[in-house]
Each structure stands twice: as structure tokens, then as C-alpha cells.
Amino acid sequence: MKEFAELIKTLDGTNKTNRKVDALTAYFKEVSDKDKVWTIALLSHRRPPRPVNTTLMRSWAAEWATIPYWLFEESYHIVGDLAETIALIVPTTTNNSTKALSSYLEEIIALKPRTEEEKKAYLIENWKQMDYYQRFVFNKLITGGFRIGVSQKLMTRALSRATGVDEDILAYRLMGNWDPSSVSFKQLVEEENEADFLSKPYPFFLAYALEGPLEKLGNPNEWYVEHKWDGIRAQLIVRKRNIFIWSRGEELVTDKYPELHQLADLLPDGTVLDGELLPFPNGQIGSFNEMQTRIGRKKVSKALMKKIPVIIKAYDLLEWEGKDIRQLGYRKRREHLEAVLKPLLENSTLPIAVSPALQFNSWDEVAQEREKSRELRSEGLMLKRANSPYEVGRKKGNWWKWKVDPLTIDAVLTYAMRGHGRRSNLFTDYTFALWDTNAEGKRELVTFAKAYSGLTDAEFRKIDSWIKKNTVDRFGPVRQVTPHHVFEIAFEGIAWSKRHKSGVATRFPRMRRWRQDKPIDEANTLDDLKQLIPMSGDSTTNGNN
Amino acid sequence: MKKPLLQFTDRGIYCGQADVFLDPWKPVNKAIISHGHADHSRWGHKKYISQNSNIPIVKHRLGDISISGKEWGETFSINGVKFSLHPAGHIIGSSQIRVEYKGEVWVFSGDYKIENDGFTTAFEPVQCNTFITECTFGLPAFKWRPQEEVFQGINSWWAQNRAEGLTSVLFGYSLGKAQRLLKFLDPGIGPIYTHAAVENMTEVLRQQVDFPETNLITRDTKTQEIKGSLVLAPPSAHGSTWLKRMVPYVTATASGWMAFRGARRRRAIDKGFVLSDHCDWDGLLQAIDATGANQIICTHGYTDIFSRFLREKGFDARTEATLYEGESGEVNSSAEQQQDKLENAE
């Protein structure tokens, strides 16, 4: 633990990538194999299930620090991170724990079934024995979410340096489902393991947003164009008649989509597809809003599955006849993909489709195709070089995404909350409203979206100080402010929604511009927003209006 | 009902009986100034009164003003009201202002810290009925470590950077923090360079304190010459083109706000050292207890939270709005930028 806390402290103390990689490499060379495995797990977002309810943790920390609970809560809102707040607030010690990181994790795993009293005693006992950084790390192990400015990519690079194993091979070995409490470092990092291989996905190839004019990409004939579907990126694996579905976040989501399980018997053995999981109500692509009703559920009811069935729209083939074909060119992989899926596509009731790979003679035609995106319910286009291999991670050059311009509307700032992480202690999370006419015929502001990104740090600072001076009411961490500022809000998609007070849900709303030139009277109305909803709408909730 | 001895007006804290303001933020006839930071000592008053060691500071900042100096503890009366200045330990020359009339005592603390930093005259608790306090860091999440420990960290950070051929750029407010850093940096590690804002203010304070030698960075200073040294600069220099000359460099800020990881990450600074010239949570509570005051008025910082806590502890505590800003560089650094501008212009 001491070494791990030191590592986190060092990583915390620099913005330089090289220094981070050096520190990680040195750490991987120094610590025990068991600690290495756990470190890899934690830095790739694999953590033990949370053993303690965080509300209890908060009250115990307040009690141990002998401060009232409300004061703990206020501090938490300002610090913006629970593990950090607790580490700061409980009584200071300079004690140093010598117990290994892996031992702590074993204890934390064993803690889950214990009684509340035992959990409380365990936490307080440990808070007593650790210095600030150890307490912080310990709390993070319990509350989860190790976001410390070290990406998985960076961690893999350091591990590669420490072990001499190639970075791409490591990225592949570290994917999928492995249990840090049972796997050994050797098995995880150094050995090819047949049994693990069955469910193992490939690292996803990710695209950057297009930079510069299309013409720079060269001859359009050397490129394929696909629509960029707005669902969940996924790999579907069929090996030895087993099916596995992995989301891009490396989460195994097979159980969430039972309608796809039949593909285990229909796709040839040794097939790995890359594609998009999409909601498909009434035989057409639905909105992301509808997809969300499926993402959250582990157990899917028959009714929901009937109302919002999910399909996979495949666009790439990574494994064919049991062989890794990622090094083949895109055109060749697509040929294999279409051949593999051909027999399945003859049956239109199966939950699988191919995303068409289009070719154009001019970039103008490509641009025209992009204009069709909203109508087709895509987010824009993907451009893929015909002879490109399937690479590892986010790379420039062979794949580009070219999204449609977002929809925009001018809305009024009505509420604000403090941000988290690097924006803790600043009011950066805002609620926006549009004008509407209520039942009595009066004009009022109706909340329609929350947004917390898109402004510069300098703008955030200005608005933060304005908010502090123009608060009219407080509801816990939320401040109601005088309606005064208008912002242009950009968003990717829009659909009817029963869950939103405004009746409308927007996808990925963010601030595009601070309209200091606009008085609030000139902000848009809710009706203006509704005009932006595609006519086809969501069949499930249409007619609400 | 009689008027309170000190009132909060739109110009500043006002003593009606003596017709004098304490740290006013709008021009007045007579102002008693607690210390030299820009949000407490402003421009345009007809007459200034301040502690002697603060005089060079305010004269440097505000030019040729009419100012009279007082010793620590020296009592002076204005229309029957007795005033005296007592060390606040915040920066050199920083005072608490004691106001007594007909047996009632109020103390306005300005900004203060109770840790003895070894060169600023140390904070002295003053008995009073009403204590006007800041609470810049009035949250239990703020707990300072002893300064020896912090300086060990700063010096070893510098030594490590130097060993790697990197220049260490350390940001601190040009009045107060910069000199405290300078005082305890280890000149045995390497040369110390300064930004003009820091250099000018330090020069003023050299009359009163012995500081290690500094080298002002000018247009003619060569990059090679600075390499591996420590550069003291005001926070406003972060992200400026002025920094380009220090490449390759790493940055750090010394401030109480560095207790929060988010505050440091937001500013894209490599390293944060938690070092403040204000009180931490326990320090504030200790200082308040030592005054014996029952009425507490919170002026700037986490005032709502802090005064609620005090009320629950049985104090008659409330909040008054002022234009003081506490340790800047976080939420609103306009005062600091103003000050840096002033100093850069000189």
C-alpha cells in the first residue's frame, strides 16, 4: 500500500506524461506480482464491488472527525470527491501502513458481507493507521473510480517497458474478463491462455474527428463511407458455440441482450464482429433515448424486449474461421463479413444487419451523404481507408469520424451546481430553461437540459463568481440563480420523452457559446425546441404533444 | 437602540464615533489599514493609518500617500475611541485592529494566521467582545502541515528537478507568499531567480528582513543560465509567454487551495504545495476561542458554513458582506491580478 500510495502521489504531482510513465515503470519493477496484478486491475477500472454504502461512510467519517453531518456534506460538495473529502477531514496521522495493496483488496472484498458495525470498525481502524495519501487511496479502493490522469494506454506503455512485452499484445492480454484475486501476474501478462481466450475481445480501433478538408484525404475511391450509428459500440464473439458481447467500455454485456443469443448457433464458430447495438422498435432504428432503457437493465423483461428490441449492425470482422484477421485490409475484411452474414441476412427477422459500406466518386457526394444522417438516424459518417488494417486504440490516419453539425438552441441559465474533479469548488454544472406558456397563459421558464462543458476556464470563473453573487435560493448543493444569462446549447439528438418535465430529451447537451449579447427575453421557446424533433419521432412516445 | 461600535457600510467597516473606516473599499477621509494586500489597502483615501512595517509596502503599491505609522500595541484615540494595532501574523506589517469605546472592545482581524512563520511578527490573540474574522479556509477539510514539512517538500522537489536538468517555477502571491517561500528556500541547491513583480516587492522588504540572494529575470537573461534554478513568480505568470524562457520547466503553486486535488488539476500545475498565510479550520477556531469574544462576524471565505457552525457551538455569529477576497488565485483572482499589474507597471 505504501508503494501504491507513493505512486499515486507521484502521478498526482506531475502533468508530464514522461514522468508518469517513468514512475509507473519503476513501480512495476519494484512491487510484488500480486500488487502488480491489482494495480493493473485498478488502473483499468476493475475494482471490487463496493463493500460499504457511501452514505454510511460519510456519517462515520463525520462522527470520527467530530463534526456535524451537515458540515461534512457541505465540505463534500466543495471538495467534489468523496474519498478525498474523507481523507482530508478525518483526524490527521503520520502513521504509515506497511500492509500490501493486495492484502487490503482481499480485506475489502471480504468486507462486503460483514455487519455494519464491523465495517465501521474496519474503516476507522484503517483511517487511524494511514497518512493522507494512503487514506485517500484506501477510500478510493472502497468508493471506486480511480481517475488520476493515467489512462489505460499509459499504464500499458509502462507495463510494456517494465516487462518487455509488446504494447499491443499487452493491450490484448489485459482485455476481457479476468479476476485480479485469482489470476497470477504470469498468467495475465506473460502467458497465452487457451481457456481465457474463449471470451476475449480485441482492443477496439477508435477514430479521431476529421481534421481539415476532405480533399486532404486524397482520392475518394480509396475510401469507404459508413454511417456512424448512435448506439453502443460492441464486439460480438462466437467461439465454440458460446456467445459473448463486449461493450466498448470493456464491459461484458451478453446478459443484457438475450435476443442476440440465438446468433451463437447461426454464426460460424470463430467469428468476431465489430458493430453497433441499436434499438429497433417497430422495425426501424430508434433513438439513443430508447437505447438507454435497455443499457441500464441487467434483467430484461419480455415486455421491454418486445417494445424495444435490440439488433447489432455489424461493420467489421476481426476474427474469421477462428483466425485473427485484423491485419487484412478493410475491403478484404468487409468481403469476409458480408459472406459470413449473407445466409443470416436472408432471414429479415434476425436481430442482425450490416452497415452499408458506401463508395463515392467525389467528396461532394460524401458531403451530400452526410446531410442524410439525421433522417437515417445516424450521427454522421465514418470514413475508412480501403486498405487499412484494424488498429489498436485511438489512432489517426486510417479512420476518421465526420459527425453532423449539432443542433442548437438559446436557453437561459436557471440553476447551478459545483463541479467535480478539476472543477470542484467552481459552479460549472448548469441547468437551462426555455420559455413556455403555462395553463394561465403566463410566460415561464421550463427546464430542459443540464450541461457542464464547452466553456473556457476563464468563462467558467466569470460565471462562477456571478453565480455566487446572484443566488436567489439554495437546495442542498443546488443554487437557483436570477435568470439573466443566455447560452447557446448544442446537442446531438432530440426525442420526445416522458421522463423530462419539458417532454423532450436532448442527447449530449453542452454549451457552445455564452450569448452575452442576448437578453433572456430573446431566448428560444420550448416550441422552438420541439420543432427540431424529427417527424417520425419515437413511435413509443409520439403523440404526447 | 445604540449604534454598534463598528458598522458594515457600502464603503467599508465604519466606526461612526471616530468617523474612521477600517480597510475601506471606496475612497474615504480616514482609513486604518490592516495590511498591504490590494483588497485591504486601496487607493484614494485622504489619510492612511497603519503599522510602521506596513508603510514601505503600501507606499510601494500606492505611491505618495499621506500615512502615519503606529507601533504594535500603541494606543491612539480619535474622538474618545481607543485604537491599537496588534500582530496578525498574515504578512509583514499585518495587523489586527483593536477598537475600544466605553469599555466595549471590537477586534477586526483583517487576514491572519496563527502559525509562527519565523519572520512575520507572530499573531497575538486580543481579548474582545466582538471579533471580526475572515474564514477563507473555514472548512474542516483544510488542515495545514507544519511549515518545516512543507519546505522540506519544496526543497526536495527543486533538488530533484535540478538533477533532471529542469527549471522549477514556483508560483506564489508577490506580496507575502513569495517572500515566505524565498525565506525558506535552500540557496545551497542552486540560484533563485525572480519575476519583476516578486523582485520589486522583495526589494522593498529587504529593509526589514534578511532574504537569500535573488536574480531578476530580464530581457537579457539567457535560458541556459536559468536552467535548473528556482524561479519565483506570481500566479498570473502561469500560462504567459514570459514562461517560455524557462523551458524545460516544471511548475508548482504554494497555496492553501492546493489542499484540493481539483484546484491543482484545474490550473494544470504539476505540483501543489499546501502552504497558506491564512488559518486552517482548527486555527480559526483556536483564534476565536482565544479572544474570549461571544459575538463573531465572518467577513470573507466560507462565511455561511463557518458562521452556522459557530452558532451551533453557542456563539452569536453572523456574516457580513465585504469586498475582501482572502487567498486569491482560486475563485476570483482579480485583486491579485490588479496588484500584479500595478507592480509590473513599475
Side-chain angles (χ1 to χ4, degrees):
Chain A
M1 181 66 137
K2 201 177 155 195
E3 294 84 2
F4 188 66
E6 264 314 304
L7 171 71
I8 300 298
K9 188 178 175 183
T10 310
L11 297 175
D12 237 9
T14 180
N15 280 332
K16 310 279 181 294
T17 305
N18 282 343
R19 274 198 171 183
K20 288 183 181 177
V21 175
D22 287 350
L24 268 162
T25 308
Y27 172 85
F28 277 129
K29 284 184 177 165
E30 178 192 3
V31 300
S32 72
D33 281 0
K34 258 189 160 176
D35 278 9
K36 278 183 229 168
V37 170
W38 269 112
T39 304
I40 296 166
L42 294 169
L43 297 182
S44 60
H45 314 292
R46 290 170 173 85
R47 59 175 183 90
R50 185 177 291 169
V52 187
N53 169 324
T54 52
T55 313
L56 287 173
M57 241 176 123
R58 276 135 79 162
S59 66
W60 298 337
E63 190 188 321
W64 179 240
T66 59
I67 58 168
Y69 185 69
W70 68 263
L71 183 55
F72 180 89
E73 288 295 286
E74 289 281 4
S75 305
Y76 171 41
H77 292 315
I78 290 165
V79 176
D81 180 289
L82 183 60
E84 192 180 340
T85 311
I86 295 174
L88 287 167
I89 273 182
V90 298
T92 313
T93 72
T94 46
N95 289 345
N96 239 315
S97 167
T98 50
K99 207 184 286 176
L101 173 68
S102 52
S103 311
Y104 274 108
L105 283 148
E106 281 158 19
E107 288 173 9
I108 287 168
I109 291 167
L111 193 62
K112 198 170 164 63
R114 307 267 285 279
T115 66
E116 245 176 53
E117 282 311 304
E118 288 172 320
K119 289 177 183 179
K120 181 178 174 184
Y122 177 78
L123 290 187
I124 291 177
E125 193 49 40
N126 279 293
W127 288 334
K128 273 197 241 174
Q129 283 169 12
M130 296 175 172
D131 67 12
Y132 167 74
Y133 257 96
Q134 291 181 1
R135 284 199 302 269
F136 169 63
V137 167
F138 172 75
N139 293 337
K140 276 279 175 203
L141 296 179
I142 291 172
T143 60
F146 250 106
R147 289 200 194 116
I148 44 159
V150 177
S151 63
Q152 192 162 344
K153 193 173 168 182
L154 237 143
M155 183 267 289
T156 312
R157 190 184 307 165
L159 190 60
S160 165
R161 274 206 213 156
T163 58
V165 181
D166 179 82
E167 211 175 309
D168 282 356
I169 293 176
L170 266 181
Y172 174 61
R173 286 189 186 155
L174 299 183
M175 291 213 51
N177 227 4
W178 49 271
D179 177 4
S181 39
S182 59
V183 74
S184 77
F185 182 69
K186 227 178 145 124
Q187 286 165 337
L188 180 66
V189 168
E190 291 165 5
E191 288 174 6
E192 290 287 359
N193 192 322
E194 277 304 311
D196 295 347
F197 179 74
L198 194 63
S199 70
K200 194 158 258 188
Y202 295 98
F204 284 88
F205 181 16
L206 307 170
Y208 278 95
L210 182 65
E211 300 164 350
L214 284 170
E215 287 69 26
K216 284 213 164 168
L217 299 179
N219 187 342
N221 290 317
E222 288 165 17
W223 290 83
Y224 280 87
V225 174
E226 295 170 23
H227 275 274
K228 185 179 184 309
W229 306 107
D230 188 14
I232 302 288
R233 177 91 181 267
Q235 265 179 58
L236 187 145
I237 298 172
V238 174
R239 288 180 188 133
K240 298 198 174 150
R241 302 269 66 91
N242 288 289
I243 186 163
F244 304 95
I245 304 167
W246 292 94
S247 74
R248 213 203 85 188
E250 275 189 57
E251 190 193 353
L252 191 57
V253 294
T254 320
D255 295 342
K256 291 185 178 176
Y257 306 104
E259 58 265 75
L260 301 180
H261 295 180
Q262 51 182 313
L263 299 173
D265 296 321
L266 301 170
L267 285 166
D269 229 15
T271 300
V272 178
L273 304 174
D274 182 9
E276 199 84 7
L277 299 175
L278 291 169
F280 210 63
N282 303 326
Q284 54 174 326
I285 296 175
S287 68
F288 192 79
N289 204 24
E290 288 167 306
M291 188 71 208
Q292 268 174 329
T293 62
R294 291 291 305 267
I295 294 170
R297 312 276 167 88
K298 266 219 169 99
K299 294 269 181 292
V300 197
S301 69
K302 282 230 168 76
L304 180 61
M305 209 156 49
K306 202 172 161 205
K307 193 172 153 198
I308 304 174
V310 165
I311 65 161
I312 181 160
K313 214 168 177 68
Y315 36 72
D316 215 321
L317 186 67
L318 313 186
E319 188 173 310
W320 176 62
E321 296 181 341
K323 289 193 302 274
D324 175 359
I325 59 163
R326 290 177 297 160
Q327 290 313 308
L328 291 182
Y330 173 81
R331 194 193 317 249
K332 197 75 200 159
R333 295 199 308 276
R334 284 289 304 206
E335 276 171 26
H336 289 311
L337 173 72
E338 281 161 31
V340 164
L341 294 189
K342 193 162 185 275
L344 281 77
L345 296 175
E346 281 163 9
N347 178 354
S348 66
T349 63
L350 288 175
I352 189 163
V354 176
S355 176
L358 312 169
Q359 279 219 293
F360 296 96
N361 290 317
S362 75
W363 291 116
D364 277 349
E365 288 169 38
V366 175
Q368 280 164 28
E369 183 64 29
R370 178 165 165 268
E371 294 305 312
K372 297 182 194 163
S373 298
R374 279 198 211 285
E375 200 183 315
L376 293 172
R377 296 225 151 199
S378 85
E379 293 183 284
L381 301 180
M382 290 296 304
L383 311 174
K384 298 179 177 177
R385 202 185 286 276
N387 59 5
S388 60
Y390 189 93
E391 298 180 67
V392 171
R394 201 177 292 280
K395 299 272 160 64
K396 290 186 179 182
N398 285 326
W399 281 19
W400 297 102
K401 56 184 174 196
W402 191 28
K403 300 221 280 192
V404 289
D405 295 328
L407 299 160
T408 63
I409 200 141
D410 291 334
V412 181
L413 171 67
T414 48
Y415 296 90
M417 258 179 88
R418 287 193 169 95
H420 289 265
R422 66 186 285 272
R423 289 132 150 236
S424 60
N425 202 19
L426 272 189
F427 285 92
T428 58
D429 296 9
Y430 306 141
T431 301
F432 293 98
L434 296 167
W435 292 110
D436 196 22
T437 310
N438 67 15
E440 289 100 57
K442 266 197 184 153
R443 235 175 154 223
E444 61 175 12
L445 285 165
V446 176
T447 295
F448 92 103
K450 286 183 179 173
Y452 48 84
S453 63
L455 299 183
T456 64
D457 282 359
E459 285 172 322
F460 272 129
R461 274 200 299 276
K462 269 194 202 158
I463 297 165
D464 171 82
S465 93
W466 180 87
I467 286 166
K468 286 172 181 154
K469 291 179 200 131
N470 291 276
T471 300
V472 292
D473 208 349
R474 294 171 189 220
F475 310 93
V478 178
R479 293 201 182 191
Q480 185 182 358
V481 298
T482 320
H484 178 75
H485 288 300
V486 176
F487 290 81
E488 182 180 325
I489 306 298
F491 46 94
E492 294 302 318
I494 181 166
W496 298 109
S497 164
K498 278 182 181 161
R499 284 193 299 181
H500 293 75
K501 197 174 161 192
S502 62
V504 182
T506 51
R507 172 121 156 90
F508 186 33
R510 69 266 184 191
M511 289 163 274
R512 192 160 187 203
R513 242 185 323 158
W514 183 5
R515 296 296 306 262
Q516 284 171 283
D517 55 321
K518 266 204 171 181
I520 57 167
D521 286 342
E522 290 175 25
N524 283 107
T525 65
L526 189 56
D527 279 337
D528 296 338
L529 182 71
K530 288 175 178 171
Q531 295 292 320
L532 298 173
I533 302 176
M535 288 306 280
S536 61
D538 288 348
S539 47
T540 48
T541 50
N542 208 354
N544 255 358
N545 189 19
Chain B
M1 219 182 97
K2 68 164 189 157
K3 278 195 177 163
L5 186 51
L6 295 178
Q7 290 170 278
F8 288 81
T9 72
D10 59 356
R11 310 190 133 201
I13 302 173
Y14 181 58
C15 177
Q17 178 64 30
D19 191 21
V20 63
F21 284 86
L22 314 185
D23 288 4
W25 44 86
K26 282 187 184 160
V28 300
N29 282 330
K30 195 177 267 184
I32 304 177
I33 300 299
S34 70
H35 67 286
H37 279 145
D39 51 333
H40 291 262
S41 58
R42 294 181 194 246
W43 225 76
H45 311 311
K46 285 209 175 109
K47 271 194 168 7
Y48 293 74
I49 299 169
S50 190
Q51 208 278 331
N52 282 325
S53 41
N54 184 36
I55 289 179
I57 299 172
V58 277
K59 281 203 164 166
H60 171 70
R61 289 206 32 251
L62 302 178
D64 191 19
I65 51 169
S66 159
I67 186 162
S68 66
K70 305 287 173 193
E71 290 298 327
W72 299 122
E74 176 187 341
T75 303
F76 53 101
S77 292
I78 307 174
N79 196 25
V81 184
K82 280 200 268 178
F83 292 89
S84 54
L85 305 177
H86 305 267
H90 174 59
I91 59 169
I92 291 176
S94 66
S95 313
Q96 308 175 72
I97 304 170
R98 182 183 185 276
V99 185
E100 181 184 348
Y101 185 63
K102 291 187 178 168
E104 186 182 351
V105 180
W106 289 48
V107 170
F108 167 56
S109 60
D111 288 332
Y112 65 101
K113 72 170 179 287
I114 60 167
E115 182 183 19
N116 183 352
D117 65 19
F119 73 107
T120 306
T121 314
F123 176 86
E124 270 174 24
V126 180
Q127 290 286 314
C128 57
N129 306 104
T130 299
F131 187 55
I132 302 172
T133 182
E134 57 137 328
C135 49
T136 306
F137 294 106
L139 276 189
F142 293 106
K143 284 185 197 140
W144 309 150
R145 305 293 308 158
Q147 78 169 17
E148 293 77 13
E149 199 178 297
V150 181
F151 278 107
Q152 250 173 33
I154 295 175
N155 282 318
S156 62
W157 172 77
W158 176 18
Q160 193 202 337
N161 295 336
R162 185 175 170 85
E164 292 176 25
L166 302 168
T167 300
S168 306
V169 182
L170 183 53
F171 298 112
Y173 200 18
S174 47
L175 167 57
K177 190 63 62 63
Q179 289 77 37
R180 187 172 173 198
L181 292 168
L182 180 59
K183 181 76 191 164
F184 297 103
L185 283 170
D186 177 1
I189 298 172
I192 299 166
Y193 281 80
T194 49
H195 182 277
V198 172
E199 182 65 26
N200 294 341
M201 189 49 86
T202 305
E203 197 49 43
V204 171
L205 293 171
R206 278 187 197 277
Q207 304 160 14
Q208 307 183 38
V209 183
D210 217 12
F211 290 114
E213 186 192 328
T214 52
N215 310 280
L216 174 65
I217 296 176
T218 65
R219 256 166 245 260
D220 304 324
T221 313
K222 301 271 184 303
T223 301
Q224 196 52 37
E225 178 191 332
I226 309 172
K227 201 174 172 187
S229 65
L230 188 133
V231 177
L232 274 177
S236 58
H238 185 39
S240 70
T241 50
W242 179 82
L243 267 183
K244 279 190 184 152
R245 215 169 332 181
M246 304 344 143
V247 172
Y249 63 85
V250 286
T251 54
T253 285
S255 159
W257 296 110
M258 292 298 114
F260 293 174
R261 295 172 73 240
R264 187 180 63 252
R265 281 155 64 205
R266 173 157 68 239
R267 244 160 292 161
I269 282 162
D270 286 303
K271 184 95 181 158
F273 294 106
V274 186
L275 185 75
S276 180
D277 288 319
H278 295 262
C279 285
D280 64 0
W281 172 258
D282 289 334
L284 286 168
L285 295 177
Q286 206 180 311
I288 288 169
D289 268 345
T291 64
N294 182 49
Q295 179 169 230
I296 310 294
I297 299 171
C298 306
T299 53
H300 54 296
Y302 294 102
T303 47
D304 292 343
I305 295 171
F306 192 63
S307 58
R308 176 177 168 189
F309 180 79
L310 292 177
R311 280 193 299 278
E312 287 186 9
K313 281 192 67 167
F315 288 97
D316 170 12
R318 68 170 201 272
T319 291
E320 289 284 358
T322 65
L323 294 190
Y324 311 136
E325 302 194 338
E327 182 156 323
S328 38
E330 171 63 357
V331 182
N332 186 343
S333 60
S334 59
E336 172 180 289
Q337 276 161 8
Q338 271 174 18
Q339 168 144 359
D340 286 337
K341 254 186 231 154
L342 274 168
E343 284 161 12
N344 287 335
E346 282 156 19

